[in-house]
PDB file of all heavy atoms in Angstrom:
ATOM      1  N   THR A 409     160.924 190.488 212.518  1.00  0.00           N
ATOM      2  CA  THR A 409     160.530 190.742 211.131  1.00  0.00           C
ATOM      3  C   THR A 409     159.418 189.803 210.682  1.00  0.00           C
ATOM      4  O   THR A 409     158.893 189.961 209.586  1.00  0.00           O
ATOM      5  CB  THR A 409     161.735 190.562 210.187  1.00  0.00           C
ATOM      6  OG1 THR A 409     162.247 189.234 210.343  1.00  0.00           O
ATOM      7  CG2 THR A 409     162.807 191.588 210.506  1.00  0.00           C
ATOM      8  N   ASP A 410     159.070 188.841 211.501  1.00  0.00           N
ATOM      9  CA  ASP A 410     158.056 187.868 211.102  1.00  0.00           C
ATOM     10  C   ASP A 410     156.920 187.885 212.119  1.00  0.00           C
ATOM     11  O   ASP A 410     157.032 187.333 213.206  1.00  0.00           O
ATOM     12  CB  ASP A 410     158.677 186.476 211.022  1.00  0.00           C
ATOM     13  CG  ASP A 410     157.729 185.455 210.424  1.00  0.00           C
ATOM     14  OD1 ASP A 410     156.523 185.750 210.272  1.00  0.00           O
ATOM     15  OD2 ASP A 410     158.193 184.350 210.121  1.00  0.00           O
ATOM     16  N   ALA A 411     155.816 188.493 211.742  1.00  0.00           N
ATOM     17  CA  ALA A 411     154.678 188.616 212.659  1.00  0.00           C
ATOM     18  C   ALA A 411     153.947 187.290 212.862  1.00  0.00           C
ATOM     19  O   ALA A 411     153.114 187.187 213.749  1.00  0.00           O
ATOM     20  CB  ALA A 411     153.708 189.672 212.143  1.00  0.00           C
ATOM     21  N   HIS A 412     154.254 186.291 212.065  1.00  0.00           N
ATOM     22  CA  HIS A 412     153.556 185.005 212.160  1.00  0.00           C
ATOM     23  C   HIS A 412     154.249 184.018 213.105  1.00  0.00           C
ATOM     24  O   HIS A 412     153.715 182.950 213.368  1.00  0.00           O
ATOM     25  CB  HIS A 412     153.401 184.381 210.778  1.00  0.00           C
ATOM     26  CG  HIS A 412     152.621 185.247 209.847  1.00  0.00           C
ATOM     27  ND1 HIS A 412     151.272 185.491 210.010  1.00  0.00           N
ATOM     28  CD2 HIS A 412     153.003 185.956 208.767  1.00  0.00           C
ATOM     29  CE1 HIS A 412     150.856 186.309 209.057  1.00  0.00           C
ATOM     30  NE2 HIS A 412     151.889 186.607 208.280  1.00  0.00           N
ATOM     31  N   HIS A 413     155.426 184.362 213.565  1.00  0.00           N
ATOM     32  CA  HIS A 413     156.135 183.492 214.506  1.00  0.00           C
ATOM     33  C   HIS A 413     156.387 184.267 215.797  1.00  0.00           C
ATOM     34  O   HIS A 413     156.878 185.395 215.752  1.00  0.00           O
ATOM     35  CB  HIS A 413     157.471 183.017 213.916  1.00  0.00           C
ATOM     36  CG  HIS A 413     157.290 182.052 212.798  1.00  0.00           C
ATOM     37  ND1 HIS A 413     157.142 182.453 211.489  1.00  0.00           N
ATOM     38  CD2 HIS A 413     157.198 180.709 212.791  1.00  0.00           C
ATOM     39  CE1 HIS A 413     156.982 181.390 210.718  1.00  0.00           C
ATOM     40  NE2 HIS A 413     157.009 180.318 211.485  1.00  0.00           N
ATOM     41  N   PRO A 414     156.072 183.658 216.913  1.00  0.00           N
ATOM     42  CA  PRO A 414     156.252 184.371 218.182  1.00  0.00           C
ATOM     43  C   PRO A 414     157.725 184.593 218.504  1.00  0.00           C
ATOM     44  O   PRO A 414     158.587 183.809 218.118  1.00  0.00           O
ATOM     45  CB  PRO A 414     155.607 183.446 219.217  1.00  0.00           C
ATOM     46  CG  PRO A 414     155.660 182.084 218.602  1.00  0.00           C
ATOM     47  CD  PRO A 414     155.553 182.300 217.109  1.00  0.00           C
ATOM     48  N   THR A 415     158.003 185.671 219.180  1.00  0.00           N
ATOM     49  CA  THR A 415     159.336 185.944 219.695  1.00  0.00           C
ATOM     50  C   THR A 415     159.358 185.507 221.153  1.00  0.00           C
ATOM     51  O   THR A 415     158.506 185.924 221.931  1.00  0.00           O
ATOM     52  CB  THR A 415     159.664 187.441 219.599  1.00  0.00           C
ATOM     53  OG1 THR A 415     159.579 187.826 218.228  1.00  0.00           O
ATOM     54  CG2 THR A 415     161.054 187.728 220.137  1.00  0.00           C
ATOM     55  N   VAL A 416     160.286 184.670 221.498  1.00  0.00           N
ATOM     56  CA  VAL A 416     160.334 184.123 222.847  1.00  0.00           C
ATOM     57  C   VAL A 416     161.713 184.353 223.432  1.00  0.00           C
ATOM     58  O   VAL A 416     162.721 184.118 222.765  1.00  0.00           O
ATOM     59  CB  VAL A 416     160.024 182.608 222.835  1.00  0.00           C
ATOM     60  CG1 VAL A 416     160.145 182.018 224.222  1.00  0.00           C
ATOM     61  CG2 VAL A 416     158.649 182.344 222.253  1.00  0.00           C
ATOM     62  N   LEU A 417     161.758 184.817 224.654  1.00  0.00           N
ATOM     63  CA  LEU A 417     163.011 184.924 225.394  1.00  0.00           C
ATOM     64  C   LEU A 417     162.920 183.941 226.543  1.00  0.00           C
ATOM     65  O   LEU A 417     161.983 183.984 227.329  1.00  0.00           O
ATOM     66  CB  LEU A 417     163.224 186.340 225.929  1.00  0.00           C
ATOM     67  CG  LEU A 417     164.436 186.511 226.845  1.00  0.00           C
ATOM     68  CD1 LEU A 417     165.718 186.378 226.024  1.00  0.00           C
ATOM     69  CD2 LEU A 417     164.395 187.847 227.539  1.00  0.00           C
ATOM     70  N   TRP A 418     163.880 183.048 226.613  1.00  0.00           N
ATOM     71  CA  TRP A 418     163.882 182.050 227.664  1.00  0.00           C
ATOM     72  C   TRP A 418     165.196 182.183 228.403  1.00  0.00           C
ATOM     73  O   TRP A 418     166.261 182.143 227.805  1.00  0.00           O
ATOM     74  CB  TRP A 418     163.748 180.662 227.053  1.00  0.00           C
ATOM     75  CG  TRP A 418     163.990 179.542 227.983  1.00  0.00           C
ATOM     76  CD1 TRP A 418     163.654 179.467 229.306  1.00  0.00           C
ATOM     77  CD2 TRP A 418     164.619 178.304 227.676  1.00  0.00           C
ATOM     78  NE1 TRP A 418     164.023 178.264 229.826  1.00  0.00           N
ATOM     79  CE2 TRP A 418     164.626 177.534 228.841  1.00  0.00           C
ATOM     80  CE3 TRP A 418     165.181 177.776 226.525  1.00  0.00           C
ATOM     81  CZ2 TRP A 418     165.166 176.257 228.890  1.00  0.00           C
ATOM     82  CZ3 TRP A 418     165.710 176.510 226.586  1.00  0.00           C
ATOM     83  CH2 TRP A 418     165.697 175.759 227.751  1.00  0.00           C
ATOM     84  N   ALA A 419     165.128 182.362 229.697  1.00  0.00           N
ATOM     85  CA  ALA A 419     166.338 182.481 230.501  1.00  0.00           C
ATOM     86  C   ALA A 419     166.148 181.713 231.796  1.00  0.00           C
ATOM     87  O   ALA A 419     165.073 181.719 232.378  1.00  0.00           O
ATOM     88  CB  ALA A 419     166.638 183.942 230.803  1.00  0.00           C
ATOM     89  N   THR A 420     167.183 181.064 232.196  1.00  0.00           N
ATOM     90  CA  THR A 420     167.157 180.329 233.451  1.00  0.00           C
ATOM     91  C   THR A 420     168.351 180.763 234.269  1.00  0.00           C
ATOM     92  O   THR A 420     169.485 180.674 233.805  1.00  0.00           O
ATOM     93  CB  THR A 420     167.232 178.809 233.196  1.00  0.00           C
ATOM     94  OG1 THR A 420     166.191 178.458 232.292  1.00  0.00           O
ATOM     95  CG2 THR A 420     167.064 178.043 234.476  1.00  0.00           C
ATOM     96  N   ASP A 421     168.109 181.255 235.452  1.00  0.00           N
ATOM     97  CA  ASP A 421     169.185 181.657 236.350  1.00  0.00           C
ATOM     98  C   ASP A 421     169.032 180.857 237.630  1.00  0.00           C
ATOM     99  O   ASP A 421     168.236 181.190 238.492  1.00  0.00           O
ATOM    100  CB  ASP A 421     169.105 183.156 236.645  1.00  0.00           C
ATOM    101  CG  ASP A 421     170.192 183.616 237.608  1.00  0.00           C
ATOM    102  OD1 ASP A 421     171.038 182.787 238.003  1.00  0.00           O
ATOM    103  OD2 ASP A 421     170.183 184.791 237.972  1.00  0.00           O
ATOM    104  N   PHE A 422     169.768 179.771 237.713  1.00  0.00           N
ATOM    105  CA  PHE A 422     169.693 178.938 238.905  1.00  0.00           C
ATOM    106  C   PHE A 422     170.652 179.408 239.989  1.00  0.00           C
ATOM    107  O   PHE A 422     170.590 178.958 241.112  1.00  0.00           O
ATOM    108  CB  PHE A 422     170.010 177.486 238.559  1.00  0.00           C
ATOM    109  CG  PHE A 422     168.962 176.861 237.690  1.00  0.00           C
ATOM    110  CD1 PHE A 422     169.245 176.523 236.385  1.00  0.00           C
ATOM    111  CD2 PHE A 422     167.693 176.625 238.177  1.00  0.00           C
ATOM    112  CE1 PHE A 422     168.287 175.946 235.582  1.00  0.00           C
ATOM    113  CE2 PHE A 422     166.726 176.045 237.373  1.00  0.00           C
ATOM    114  CZ  PHE A 422     167.023 175.711 236.073  1.00  0.00           C
ATOM    115  N   SER A 423     171.546 180.321 239.641  1.00  0.00           N
ATOM    116  CA  SER A 423     172.573 180.702 240.613  1.00  0.00           C
ATOM    117  C   SER A 423     172.016 181.531 241.757  1.00  0.00           C
ATOM    118  O   SER A 423     172.506 181.447 242.870  1.00  0.00           O
ATOM    119  CB  SER A 423     173.709 181.449 239.919  1.00  0.00           C
ATOM    120  OG  SER A 423     173.226 182.651 239.373  1.00  0.00           O
ATOM    121  N   LYS A 424     171.017 182.339 241.504  1.00  0.00           N
ATOM    122  CA  LYS A 424     170.463 183.179 242.570  1.00  0.00           C
ATOM    123  C   LYS A 424     168.943 183.202 242.481  1.00  0.00           C
ATOM    124  O   LYS A 424     168.320 184.252 242.559  1.00  0.00           O
ATOM    125  CB  LYS A 424     171.008 184.596 242.459  1.00  0.00           C
ATOM    126  CG  LYS A 424     172.484 184.681 242.697  1.00  0.00           C
ATOM    127  CD  LYS A 424     172.951 186.103 242.599  1.00  0.00           C
ATOM    128  CE  LYS A 424     174.461 186.145 242.778  1.00  0.00           C
ATOM    129  NZ  LYS A 424     174.985 187.477 242.586  1.00  0.00           N
ATOM    130  N   ALA A 425     168.358 182.030 242.319  1.00  0.00           N
ATOM    131  CA  ALA A 425     166.917 181.956 242.146  1.00  0.00           C
ATOM    132  C   ALA A 425     166.190 182.598 243.322  1.00  0.00           C
ATOM    133  O   ALA A 425     166.471 182.318 244.472  1.00  0.00           O
ATOM    134  CB  ALA A 425     166.489 180.490 242.004  1.00  0.00           C
ATOM    135  N   TYR A 426     165.289 183.477 242.992  1.00  0.00           N
ATOM    136  CA  TYR A 426     164.423 184.154 243.961  1.00  0.00           C
ATOM    137  C   TYR A 426     165.210 184.986 244.961  1.00  0.00           C
ATOM    138  O   TYR A 426     164.757 185.235 246.069  1.00  0.00           O
ATOM    139  CB  TYR A 426     163.534 183.156 244.708  1.00  0.00           C
ATOM    140  CG  TYR A 426     162.853 182.190 243.789  1.00  0.00           C
ATOM    141  CD1 TYR A 426     162.962 180.833 243.991  1.00  0.00           C
ATOM    142  CD2 TYR A 426     162.114 182.648 242.705  1.00  0.00           C
ATOM    143  CE1 TYR A 426     162.344 179.936 243.147  1.00  0.00           C
ATOM    144  CE2 TYR A 426     161.496 181.757 241.849  1.00  0.00           C
ATOM    145  CZ  TYR A 426     161.615 180.402 242.078  1.00  0.00           C
ATOM    146  OH  TYR A 426     161.013 179.531 241.233  1.00  0.00           O
ATOM    147  N   ASP A 427     166.367 185.428 244.588  1.00  0.00           N
ATOM    148  CA  ASP A 427     167.217 186.203 245.470  1.00  0.00           C
ATOM    149  C   ASP A 427     166.495 187.458 245.950  1.00  0.00           C
ATOM    150  O   ASP A 427     166.025 188.250 245.154  1.00  0.00           O
ATOM    151  CB  ASP A 427     168.494 186.579 244.715  1.00  0.00           C
ATOM    152  CG  ASP A 427     169.626 186.942 245.630  1.00  0.00           C
ATOM    153  OD1 ASP A 427     169.535 186.696 246.846  1.00  0.00           O
ATOM    154  OD2 ASP A 427     170.596 187.483 245.115  1.00  0.00           O
ATOM    155  N   ARG A 428     166.428 187.629 247.256  1.00  0.00           N
ATOM    156  CA  ARG A 428     165.843 188.817 247.901  1.00  0.00           C
ATOM    157  C   ARG A 428     164.357 189.025 247.582  1.00  0.00           C
ATOM    158  O   ARG A 428     163.855 190.135 247.625  1.00  0.00           O
ATOM    159  CB  ARG A 428     166.614 190.084 247.540  1.00  0.00           C
ATOM    160  CG  ARG A 428     168.035 190.078 248.025  1.00  0.00           C
ATOM    161  CD  ARG A 428     168.706 191.377 247.628  1.00  0.00           C
ATOM    162  NE  ARG A 428     169.887 191.601 248.417  1.00  0.00           N
ATOM    163  CZ  ARG A 428     169.922 192.175 249.609  1.00  0.00           C
ATOM    164  NH1 ARG A 428     168.836 192.594 250.170  1.00  0.00           N
ATOM    165  NH2 ARG A 428     171.052 192.327 250.251  1.00  0.00           N
ATOM    166  N   LYS A 429     163.643 187.968 247.235  1.00  0.00           N
ATOM    167  CA  LYS A 429     162.214 188.094 246.942  1.00  0.00           C
ATOM    168  C   LYS A 429     161.427 187.255 247.943  1.00  0.00           C
ATOM    169  O   LYS A 429     161.760 186.114 248.212  1.00  0.00           O
ATOM    170  CB  LYS A 429     161.882 187.591 245.530  1.00  0.00           C
ATOM    171  CG  LYS A 429     162.545 188.394 244.444  1.00  0.00           C
ATOM    172  CD  LYS A 429     162.028 189.812 244.411  1.00  0.00           C
ATOM    173  CE  LYS A 429     162.714 190.605 243.332  1.00  0.00           C
ATOM    174  NZ  LYS A 429     162.682 192.007 243.527  1.00  0.00           N
ATOM    175  N   ALA A 430     160.373 187.836 248.470  1.00  0.00           N
ATOM    176  CA  ALA A 430     159.496 187.101 249.376  1.00  0.00           C
ATOM    177  C   ALA A 430     158.690 186.085 248.573  1.00  0.00           C
ATOM    178  O   ALA A 430     158.226 186.378 247.477  1.00  0.00           O
ATOM    179  CB  ALA A 430     158.562 188.070 250.091  1.00  0.00           C
ATOM    180  N   HIS A 431     158.518 184.898 249.103  1.00  0.00           N
ATOM    181  CA  HIS A 431     157.796 183.854 248.372  1.00  0.00           C
ATOM    182  C   HIS A 431     156.358 184.262 248.094  1.00  0.00           C
ATOM    183  O   HIS A 431     155.811 183.909 247.056  1.00  0.00           O
ATOM    184  CB  HIS A 431     157.872 182.539 249.148  1.00  0.00           C
ATOM    185  CG  HIS A 431     159.204 181.894 249.022  1.00  0.00           C
ATOM    186  ND1 HIS A 431     159.374 180.644 248.510  1.00  0.00           N
ATOM    187  CD2 HIS A 431     160.455 182.349 249.305  1.00  0.00           C
ATOM    188  CE1 HIS A 431     160.661 180.340 248.499  1.00  0.00           C
ATOM    189  NE2 HIS A 431     161.325 181.349 248.978  1.00  0.00           N
ATOM    190  N   ALA A 432     155.725 185.008 248.992  1.00  0.00           N
ATOM    191  CA  ALA A 432     154.357 185.464 248.743  1.00  0.00           C
ATOM    192  C   ALA A 432     154.307 186.351 247.507  1.00  0.00           C
ATOM    193  O   ALA A 432     153.387 186.266 246.695  1.00  0.00           O
ATOM    194  CB  ALA A 432     153.823 186.212 249.964  1.00  0.00           C
ATOM    195  N   HIS A 433     155.313 187.203 247.337  1.00  0.00           N
ATOM    196  CA  HIS A 433     155.394 188.069 246.160  1.00  0.00           C
ATOM    197  C   HIS A 433     155.563 187.237 244.890  1.00  0.00           C
ATOM    198  O   HIS A 433     154.922 187.500 243.870  1.00  0.00           O
ATOM    199  CB  HIS A 433     156.555 189.052 246.324  1.00  0.00           C
ATOM    200  CG  HIS A 433     156.731 189.993 245.181  1.00  0.00           C
ATOM    201  ND1 HIS A 433     155.820 190.971 244.884  1.00  0.00           N
ATOM    202  CD2 HIS A 433     157.702 190.076 244.240  1.00  0.00           C
ATOM    203  CE1 HIS A 433     156.220 191.632 243.816  1.00  0.00           C
ATOM    204  NE2 HIS A 433     157.349 191.104 243.406  1.00  0.00           N
ATOM    205  N   LEU A 434     156.392 186.194 244.943  1.00  0.00           N
ATOM    206  CA  LEU A 434     156.600 185.335 243.783  1.00  0.00           C
ATOM    207  C   LEU A 434     155.323 184.601 243.417  1.00  0.00           C
ATOM    208  O   LEU A 434     155.001 184.443 242.252  1.00  0.00           O
ATOM    209  CB  LEU A 434     157.717 184.332 244.061  1.00  0.00           C
ATOM    210  CG  LEU A 434     159.112 184.909 244.115  1.00  0.00           C
ATOM    211  CD1 LEU A 434     160.088 183.861 244.591  1.00  0.00           C
ATOM    212  CD2 LEU A 434     159.527 185.425 242.757  1.00  0.00           C
ATOM    213  N   GLU A 435     154.579 184.160 244.429  1.00  0.00           N
ATOM    214  CA  GLU A 435     153.335 183.433 244.152  1.00  0.00           C
ATOM    215  C   GLU A 435     152.350 184.321 243.401  1.00  0.00           C
ATOM    216  O   GLU A 435     151.705 183.868 242.466  1.00  0.00           O
ATOM    217  CB  GLU A 435     152.727 182.960 245.475  1.00  0.00           C
ATOM    218  CG  GLU A 435     151.500 182.087 245.263  1.00  0.00           C
ATOM    219  CD  GLU A 435     150.974 181.559 246.580  1.00  0.00           C
ATOM    220  OE1 GLU A 435     151.684 181.622 247.598  1.00  0.00           O
ATOM    221  OE2 GLU A 435     149.834 181.072 246.574  1.00  0.00           O
TER     222      GLU A 435
END
Side-chain angles (χ1 to χ4, degrees):
T409 58
D410 188 348
H412 300 292
H413 290 88
T415 301
V416 177
L417 174 70
W418 169 37
T420 306
D421 179 3
F422 293 112
S423 63
K424 295 181 183 175
Y426 312 126
D427 200 12
R428 297 180 162 274
K429 297 295 179 202
H431 284 239
H433 180 68
L434 289 172
E435 185 176 345

